[in-house]
């Protein structure tokens, strides 16, 4: 089945208590695409500046990521800079230079319009809806969002929620969006806004899936050493949807297995800067860690 | 099979961001005993002051908790006071009045000495060893500890670890004891010190079991509303060992199921002050939540 992601390609300047990396390839669509590419081809829609090396797009294409939908616009590529505290959960954003992403007008190439699985990575809900409107017969649409949009574009976000099947969000966002403190109540309230399922990400504390007919909670994979948490959420979404698209199924049982695959790709993501560790993996590495994680969470 | 706990009975003065309760019945042995009593009889060794109401001991006896080993000493009962932040993970100890517990010299009644399952709740390792020395043929011994003992009584603690089968500790304690930052590496290092298994408690983020032949990670049960986290760890241990004692088994598969039962009793504990919520439960309520939790964590 065909999988499409609309989101950012970026350069990140990342600081952790242990190391620092400038000009790291990042962006929601990048992490999603690389993580989902283990399961099959993926189509990428985004925008980069003229400073974006062709060689990177070629590297992505080598992983069966179709970059036909990556527009090269006049100006510079989106750049994000942040610093993590030693607990990994506290992140300080040091810079957000939208650059070419500021006026991103997603254009889904005509041969992508019929994609079955669509991931709308974090962006203004109006932009996400513009992208979605170009998809003619999606079988499953999942969206990400962030506190900024809950705050300043709530109406558009609520409109978007009526059009998607799944939403991924972290605990803080779930509380903000629903007005409920308790996470499960918060997720239930979000379900009432339209999505058929909600994936609550709790970082190093695991993830929770809630839908009408499934409640599923998993811890995080116990990685040996976190190097850089940037991209973990999008890598989770990539593994999750990559598996769904490959399985060609959206039943509760398949969504649950997809949670494990999402955890696995996210765990590889955080073991390196940028997509370093993910790029060094193959499907075999994913399956070995899936089996290990499956045994860790199984009675 | 017979189950014995040696630990504290106490009065707690607890403050949360939402409520306050003084003179709440607490103590490690209390929470353990009540939580394990759902699965069968439990024997309690501890000390209280002359201010400790007989009626409370009678309430415990009504739950098949044998209080023959509870010494009534001259002076006042151990008292602890603390305040929780809204994140529930940050706890400020406001008072620790050891009172009669200061010179606690555990005396295991002769008819308890042959107990099969023994839990050494948090106390000075020397006291824990004194209690253990009176047990003639324990089949499984589990101990709890705290940062204080890792800090000021490390040698005795290491000696104790050579004599126990299992150790429960939280992530901070595991790091302190092992000198390893990474939790799994920390747990492995603790295993080298003697115990056959380690249970890592991560509060609202679940728990991890590590032994030579089992790695098992579970999230916490998603409680509707936390009222008071005091006693959660001991309630976990109580459900865990209560189930083991009832199952008369210590295989990896049974240890894993015990993790779920420990999570269930801990979840009831935190839904009320003191043992309020636990006391309002029966075995049926435990089983219903076990089944619910089991389905939440199962593929």
């Amino acid at each position: 089945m065909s999988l499409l992601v609309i989101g950012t390609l970026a350069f990140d300047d990342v600081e952790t208590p242990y190391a620092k990396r400038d000009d790291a390839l990042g962006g929601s669509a990048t992490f999603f695409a690389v993580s989902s590419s283990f399961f099959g081809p993926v189509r990428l829609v985004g925008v980069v500046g003229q400073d974006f090396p062709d060689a990177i797009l070629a590297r992505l294409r080598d992983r069966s990521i179709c970059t036909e939908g990556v527009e090269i616009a006049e100006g510079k590529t989106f750049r994000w800079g942040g610093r993590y505290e030693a607990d990994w959960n506290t992140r300080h954003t040091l810079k957000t230079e939208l650059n070419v992403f500021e006026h991103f007008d997603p254009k889904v190439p005509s041969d992508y319009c019929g994609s079955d699985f669509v991931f709308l990575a974090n962006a203004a809900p109006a932009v996400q809806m513009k992208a979605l409107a170009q998809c003619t017969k999606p079988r499953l649409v999942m969206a990400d969002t962030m506190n900024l949009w809950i705050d300043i574009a709530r109406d558009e976000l609520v409109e978007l929620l009526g059009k998607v099947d799944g939403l991924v969000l972290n605990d803080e966002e779930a509380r903000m969006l629903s007005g409920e403190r308790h996470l499960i109540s918060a997720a239930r309230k979000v379900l009432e806004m339209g999505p058929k399922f909600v994936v609550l990400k709790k970082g190093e504390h695991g993830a929770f899936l809630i839908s009408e007919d499934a409640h599923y909670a998993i811890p995080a994979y116990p990685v040996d050493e976190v190097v850089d948490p940037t991209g973990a959420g999008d890598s989770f979404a990539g593994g999750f949807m990559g598996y769904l698209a490959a399985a060609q199924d959206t039943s509760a049982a398949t969504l649950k297995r997809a949670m494990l695959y999402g955890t696995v790709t996210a765990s590889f993501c955080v073991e390196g800067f940028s997509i370093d560790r993910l790029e060094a993996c193959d499907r075999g590495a994913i399956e070995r860690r899936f089996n290990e994680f499956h045994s860790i969470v199984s009675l």
Side-chain angles (χ1 to χ4, degrees), chain A:
Chain A
M1 289 232 173
S2 47
L3 174 61
L4 167 67
V5 53
I6 299 105
T8 59
L9 297 95
F11 290 116
D12 295 338
D13 299 332
V14 180
E15 282 175 52
T16 79
Y18 312 103
K20 193 172 179 317
R21 172 81 77 92
D22 286 335
D23 302 313
L25 174 62
S28 56
T30 308
F31 285 110
F32 180 96
V34 173
S35 296
S36 59
S37 69
F38 294 107
F39 304 92
V42 50
R43 299 155 168 183
L44 178 50
V45 168
V47 61
V48 296
Q50 289 151 322
D51 57 346
F52 199 84
D54 279 344
I56 294 182
L57 293 177
R59 246 163 79 194
L60 297 177
R61 279 191 296 271
D62 280 348
R63 306 186 53 84
S64 1
I65 298 167
C66 180
T67 62
E68 185 195 334
V70 179
E71 181 189 351
I72 298 169
E74 206 164 314
K76 288 165 76 177
T77 300
F78 177 41
R79 183 172 287 269
W80 176 83
R83 182 167 56 79
Y84 294 90
E85 300 276 356
D87 68 1
W88 296 120
N89 291 316
T90 314
R91 176 162 103 167
H92 306 281
T93 291
L94 303 178
K95 72 176 99 162
T96 307
E97 298 167 5
L98 291 175
N99 298 328
V100 295
F101 194 67
E102 187 169 0
H103 301 292
F104 178 45
D105 183 15
K107 292 169 205 80
V108 178
S110 58
D111 50 333
Y112 290 8
C113 290
S115 298
D116 302 299
F117 289 78
V118 178
F119 183 63
L120 306 168
N122 175 35
V127 172
Q128 292 175 303
M129 280 192 281
K130 223 168 181 178
L132 182 56
Q134 299 169 61
C135 298
T136 50
K137 52 171 181 81
R139 180 164 164 193
L140 184 135
V141 179
M142 194 159 89
D144 188 11
T145 191
M146 70 185 290
N147 45 13
L148 176 70
W149 311 123
I150 300 173
D151 202 25
I152 69 168
R154 195 186 177 85
D155 289 350
E156 289 98 323
L157 180 59
V158 169
E159 191 186 339
L160 174 73
L161 293 185
K163 302 172 194 277
V164 304
D165 301 282
L167 182 70
V168 288
L169 71 182
N170 67 32
D171 36 10
E172 185 206 340
E173 292 156 2
R175 291 192 175 109
M176 253 181 99
L177 180 57
S178 65
E180 295 277 342
R181 220 199 99 71
H182 179 245
L183 276 182
I184 307 304
S185 315
R188 283 203 196 101
K189 208 141 185 190
V190 175
L191 284 183
E192 289 170 15
M193 297 177 179
K196 293 186 195 73
F197 66 89
V198 170
V199 176
L200 276 176
K201 300 172 295 179
K202 301 191 297 167
E204 60 165 331
H205 303 304
F208 201 90
L209 169 75
I210 183 163
S211 73
E212 216 170 89
D213 57 350
H215 276 215
Y216 185 46
I218 48 170
Y221 175 85
V223 292
D224 269 333
E225 196 191 3
V226 175
V227 172
D228 173 15
T230 309
D234 293 303
S235 295
F236 182 98
F240 183 90
M241 284 197 80
Y243 175 70
L244 291 185
Q248 308 193 16
D249 184 48
T250 60
S251 67
T254 301
L255 289 176
K256 285 178 168 191
R257 286 180 75 84
M259 294 280 285
L260 300 190
Y261 278 106
T263 300
V264 166
T265 47
S267 74
F268 280 119
C269 170
V270 304
E271 287 181 352
F273 278 106
S274 182
I275 56 168
D276 291 1
R277 187 76 182 85
L278 282 167
E279 267 195 316
C281 286
D282 57 16
R283 177 70 186 256
I286 300 289
E287 289 301 323
R288 281 189 297 279
R289 187 167 285 190
F290 175 89
N291 288 334
E292 184 199 351
F293 187 52
H294 183 251
S295 91
I296 286 177
V297 299
S298 298
L299 268 185

